[in-house]
C-alpha cells in the first residue's frame, strides 16, 4: 500500500514531523510518500491561507497521485479536501475529518487544542462543516508567539498540556484532539498523562486511509463527488489540466 501525504504549507521541517508520525503509525508494508507545498505560507491559520494551501494541495496531488492508493491532506482544516475527493480516483482523507472520526469513536464530546488564537474561528467552521458542532466541547489555543513552527511541541509543552487539562476539567471534553501538523506525534508523548484519550490527526489519517484502501469502496461516478465535468480551461499547470481532462495516469489500485 502506498499513501501520498501532502503538506499544504512550505515548511519542510513540519513535513519531517508529519513523516515521522505517519511512518510510526503505518502498518508494515505501507509506504509513505511526502510532499511539501511548492508555494504558500509557513503554516496555515486563516481562511485565506487555507485557500492558498488548497491550490498547493491540488497541484501536488495532480502531479503525484498516480501509483498511490490514497491521498492525505496533512493540515488541520483539510484545505482542498472536498475538491480533491471529486477529482481523484482514489480515497482522499484530511487530518481534521480523520481526527474527528477517531474522536467520535472514543467519546461523545471532544475539545480541540490549537497552536494559535487566530485559528479558532476557522476551526469552529470546519467542525460545523463536518456536521459535528454539537459534539464540540471547546477549542483552546496557545496565546504565545511561535518562534519556530517546528518547535511548538518543545517550546510550549507545558502550556499545551495545561490546555488539555483545562479542556477536560472545565469544558467536559471526553476526548482531546491535537490540531495541526506542527503537533504531529504529541499525542504519543501525552499518552497516559491525561485522564481522557488523546487523538492525533496524522496517525488517524494514516490508519483510516489504510482501512479505506482495504475496504475498496469504489469511486463515485454519480452524485456530488463524481468527477468534475470536462470544460475549456486556461493557464493551469500541466498536471492540473490533465486531471481536469480525465487524462491523468491511472493508479495501481
Amino acid at each position: 500500500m502506498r499513501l501520498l501525504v501532502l503538506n499544504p504549507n512550505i515548511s519542510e521541517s513540519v513535513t519531517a514531523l508529519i513523516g515521522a508520525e505517519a511512518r510510526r503509525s503505518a502498518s508494515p508494508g505501507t509506504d509513505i510518500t511526502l510532499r511539501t507545498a511548492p508555494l504558500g505560507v509557513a503554516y496555515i491559520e486563516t481562511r485565506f491561507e487555507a485557500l492558498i494551501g488548497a491550490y498547493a494541495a491540488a497541484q501536488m496531488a495532480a502531479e503525484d497521485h498516480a501509483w498511490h492508493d490514497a491521498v492525505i491532506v496533512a493540515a488541520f482544516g483539510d484545505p482542498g479536501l472536498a475538491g480533491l475527493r471529486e477529482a481523484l480516483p482514489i480515497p482522499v482523507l484530511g487530518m481534521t475529518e480523520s481526527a474527528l472520526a477517531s474522536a467520535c469513536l472514543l467519546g461523545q464530546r471532544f475539545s480541540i487544542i490549537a497552536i494559535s488564537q487566530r485559528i479558532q474561528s476557522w476551526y469552529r467552521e470546519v467542525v460545523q462543516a463536518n456536521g459535528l458542532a454539537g459534539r464540540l466541547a471547546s477549542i483552546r489555543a496557545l496565546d504565545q508567539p511561535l518562534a519556530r513552527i517546528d518547535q511548538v511541541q518543545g517550546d510550549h509543552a507545558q502550556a499545551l498540556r495545561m490546555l488539555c487539562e483545562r479542556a477536560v476539567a472545565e469544558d467536559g471534553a471526553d476526548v482531546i484532539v491535537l490540531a495541526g501538523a506542527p503537533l504531529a506525534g504529541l499525542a504519543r508523548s501525552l499518552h497516559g498523562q491525561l485522564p481522557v484519550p488523546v487523538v492525533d490527526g496524522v496517525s488517524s489519517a494514516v490508519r483510516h486511509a489504510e482501512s479505506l484502501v482495504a475496504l475498496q469502496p469504489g469511486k463515485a461516478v454519480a452524485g456530488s463527488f463524481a468527477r468534475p465535468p470536462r470544460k475549456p480551461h486556461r493557464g493551469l499547470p500541466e498536471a492540473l489540466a490533465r486531471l481536469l481532462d480525465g487524462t491523468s495516469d491511472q493508479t495501481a489500485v
Side-chain angles (χ1 to χ4, degrees):
M1 189 182 299
R2 297 189 65 187
L3 306 181
L4 175 60
V5 181
L6 308 175
N7 175 12
N9 68 54
I10 61 173
S11 299
E12 294 281 0
S13 56
V14 173
T15 303
L17 288 174
I18 294 167
E21 180 58 24
R23 292 187 175 105
R24 284 193 296 261
S25 304
S27 300
T30 295
D31 292 327
I32 304 293
T33 303
L34 297 168
R35 282 290 309 272
T36 305
L39 55 90
V41 297
Y43 62 99
I44 298 170
E45 61 178 336
T46 69
R47 302 173 188 89
F48 186 70
E49 292 165 352
L51 181 66
I52 298 170
Y55 180 80
Q59 182 174 335
M60 292 187 290
E63 292 170 349
D64 289 343
H65 75 277
W67 309 110
H68 288 87
D69 300 292
V71 173
I72 293 171
V73 180
F76 213 82
D78 300 342
L81 175 64
L84 288 173
R85 191 166 282 160
E86 289 179 355
L88 296 182
I90 54 178
V92 185
L93 299 89
M95 274 181 56
T96 307
E97 66 168 11
S98 296
L100 297 183
S102 295
C104 288
L105 294 173
L106 292 167
Q108 180 62 28
R109 286 163 55 80
F110 56 85
S111 285
I112 295 173
I113 306 302
I115 62 174
S116 84
Q117 294 288 319
R118 177 65 190 273
I119 220 164
Q120 291 187 72
S121 294
W122 172 45
Y123 276 4
R124 198 173 299 276
E125 292 168 7
V126 170
V127 172
Q128 186 172 8
N130 277 271
L132 295 170
R135 298 181 71 169
L136 177 65
S138 63
I139 300 177
R140 291 183 175 267
L142 295 172
D143 60 359
Q144 305 168 40
L146 305 179
R148 283 186 55 181
I149 192 62
D150 60 327
Q151 296 294 330
V152 174
Q153 296 184 41
D155 293 346
H156 303 279
Q158 184 61 29
L160 288 165
R161 179 170 175 171
M162 289 180 63
L163 289 174
C164 295
E165 292 171 344
R166 290 184 62 188
V168 176
E170 301 175 20
D171 306 329
D174 301 315
V175 186
I176 297 296
V177 175
L178 298 174
L183 299 185
L186 180 59
R188 292 180 185 273
S189 301
L190 292 175
H191 182 74
Q193 299 183 32
L194 296 174
V196 300
V198 186
V199 169
D200 176 273
V202 172
S203 56
S204 293
V206 168
R207 284 298 195 172
H208 290 313
E210 290 178 335
S211 295
L212 285 181
V213 173
L215 288 170
Q216 297 185 347
K219 163 66 179 169
V221 295
S224 67
F225 283 96
R227 289 188 56 86
R230 293 187 182 185
K231 62 187 65 171
H233 52 75
R234 179 187 299 125
L236 293 173
E238 182 180 352
L240 279 175
R242 289 199 310 269
L243 190 58
L244 271 179
D245 291 338
T247 58
S248 295
D249 293 338
Q250 295 299 307
T251 66
V253 292

